[in-house]
Amino acid sequence: MNVTKIALPQYSCSENRFENQDTAEAMVAEAARLGADLILLQELFDSLYFCSEMNQDHFSLAETAEGSTVSRFRKLAASLNVVLLLPFFEKKAPGLYFNSLAVIERDGTLAGLYRKMHIPDDPGFFEKYYFTPGDLGFRVFHTSAGKIGTLICWDQWFPEAARLTAMKGAELLVYPTAIGTIPEEGEVDKIRFRDAWRTIQRSHAIANGCYVASTNRIGNEGHNTFWGGSFVCGPFGEILAEAGEGQEIISAELNWSLIENQRQTWPFFRDRRVDAFGKLTERYG
Amino acid sequence: MNVTKIALPQYSCSENRFENQDTAEAMVAEAARLGADLILLQELFDSLYFCSEMNQDHFSLAETAEGSTVSRFRKLAASLNVVLLLPFFEKKAPGLYFNSLAVIERDGTLAGLYRKMHIPDDPGFFEKYYFTPGDLGFRVFHTSAGKIGTLICWDQWFPEAARLTAMKGAELLVYPTAIGTIPEEGEVDKIRFRDAWRTIQRSHAIANGCYVASTNRIGNEGHNTFWGGSFVCGPFGEILAEAGEGQEIISAELNWSLIENQRQTWPFFRDRRVDAFGKLTERYG
């Protein structure tokens, strides 16, 4: 298959996770009806962004990859014949939790997991309390809907993560996301932050000659207001589809046959000074 | 000093290198008169972009760092009391040439050299014929006008170069540049390429919480048309000053006291997964 149609459902969540799952399921079904082969849901797809506070109760939202939530969406993917990227709160063992993404093939098999490697911790985003940094490394999945490099939210600020994922063969980098502003931040901040967020992700497409897709949530959740703006861009960083701040499904066609030409004409992989990159494994200096 | 005013003179070059030096000198003097502390000239500042063809004659343009060209501009910097970043075609020995940048302090001393680490080679940009890849590594210069990380043109496409330079303490990354289109590329290509060029450089400011300044040339030189668009951006990637496609000097104030706050609120240096970055020294896989 040389072209994949990707869809990104963008929606808000409530306290009721089953209601959120129903929303997600309905939007995935609608995306499939519109011809999408590949569907990317938002980070922690079926709950409020609970990391806005430190509350032990929220650990009860976590499930294993064999739990009922992933199972429900594996069945959905199979019934719709789509590859589904499902970000979820993963419980590995009591006291060990990850911010994860399940890659589900169109026959409902679990192709594998990615566990968010970079974990933020800021006022309103207390993720280091909940999530252990990912222990599976950077990953690419050769699916029936393309070679998909899986990354999650905060990973988007780290060019190293994009590069290592692209070096494993990814032709699409995905970033399910939960990003927005807190009350101390005004409209000017939001415009500036959102443009920086969009710019850094577009840059990963440019640097690596690949597609990028990013799904963000919307809505007000207590102190956090999520800005939506889910988008798909091509290997020049050019925007192919972009959402506003409301509930919607955006989609774009990913033409895999363009990737090799792109990397021949902009041959960054040819020229990386790998002999001089050793200190990238250091903190500073 | 907590604020530096940087200026970027943007001009076209002719066949006559002394005329080009006169143009550069006049614009540097004008920038100083306007209050600039720090002035960044364009790549290969005093010649046509001779790499548009392979011609052995052009090696005669190269000079050592002790040659008359750098000496002339060291005297100029001292006379104007400015820090001057002078990109030039460096001859190290017969048969050994670099695409270099001289960092000149405001008293006219040569603070040091950077030699372009990543060398392009494309139709119209035959740089691998002329230049050996830089052998001095990534560099930062703690000057009287700020902590300046020196990079040149093609380096701009490599996030690794920006990161390693920032990790050495740079609060400003500079990219003297010669980029444009060839006749096979139309207006749509130009818009797309130029936006990608701008985006990737803005992303380095964002990822590293620093300023970025990029000076490009203008004008038609045989098959190459250079698109100007020199710019300075802040650590959100926000544009502080930007040139069009004509001869002009742009300037911006760099407030160094903002950098620490930026990196505290967007703490990317805190979270880099250096334990998982080892493969960045590999080509692929």
Side-chain angles (χ1 to χ4, degrees), chain A residues 224-283:
Chain A
N224 297 68
T225 303
F226 297 93
W227 64 52
S230 303
F231 71 92
V232 182
C233 75
F236 291 106
E238 79 279 18
I239 298 292
L240 301 175
E242 186 165 28
E245 297 184 25
Q247 176 165 321
E248 63 181 299
I249 299 172
I250 62 165
S251 67
E253 296 207 336
L254 312 180
N255 185 343
W256 307 117
S257 62
L258 298 180
I259 298 296
E260 188 158 13
N261 178 67
Q262 178 77 17
R263 294 185 185 179
Q264 287 171 355
T265 54
W266 286 22
F268 309 140
F269 284 105
R270 180 191 66 187
D271 286 338
R272 296 172 60 244
R273 285 294 303 270
V274 294
D275 61 303
F277 288 173
K279 293 216 171 206
L280 287 168
T281 58
E282 298 186 10
R283 283 265 163 246

Side-chain angles (χ1 to χ4, degrees), chain A residues 149-208:
Chain A
T150 47
L151 295 156
I152 300 175
C153 202
W154 192 240
D155 289 322
Q156 61 214 176
W157 302 102
F158 300 86
E160 296 94 335
R163 178 73 90 202
L164 287 163
T165 304
M167 282 169 56
K168 286 177 178 286
E171 296 185 340
L172 165 68
L173 303 177
V174 299
Y175 292 95
T177 297
I179 193 166
T181 49
I182 56 177
E184 294 72 25
E185 298 161 350
E187 188 63 20
V188 171
D189 290 322
K190 188 180 99 177
I191 291 168
R192 185 164 277 193
F193 297 174
R194 182 171 160 173
D195 188 50
W197 170 78
R198 188 174 179 266
T199 300
I200 193 97
Q201 293 179 92
R202 292 173 60 218
S203 82
H204 304 324
I206 298 165
N208 296 293

Side-chain angles (χ1 to χ4, degrees), chain B residues 63 65-76 86 104:
Chain B
E63 287 183 13
E66 293 73 39
S68 59
T69 301
V70 174
S71 296
R72 172 179 175 178
F73 282 83
R74 288 174 59 184
K75 288 189 196 104
L76 179 68
L86 187 80
I104 301 171

Side-chain angles (χ1 to χ4, degrees), chain A residues 154-161 196-197 199-201 203-204 284, chain B residues 158-164 166-167 170 173 175 199-212 233-238 262-263 266-272:
Chain A
W154 192 240
D155 289 322
Q156 61 214 176
W157 302 102
F158 300 86
E160 296 94 335
W197 170 78
T199 300
I200 193 97
Q201 293 179 92
S203 82
H204 304 324
Y284 206 73
Chain B
F158 301 86
E160 296 93 336
R163 178 72 91 202
L164 287 163
M167 282 169 56
L173 303 176
Y175 292 95
T199 300
I200 193 97
Q201 293 180 92
R202 293 172 61 217
S203 83
H204 303 324
I206 297 165
N208 296 292
C210 66
Y211 291 96
V212 165
C233 75
F236 291 106
E238 78 279 17
Q262 179 77 18
R263 294 185 185 179
W266 286 21
F268 308 140
F269 284 106
R270 181 190 68 188
D271 287 338
R272 294 172 62 244

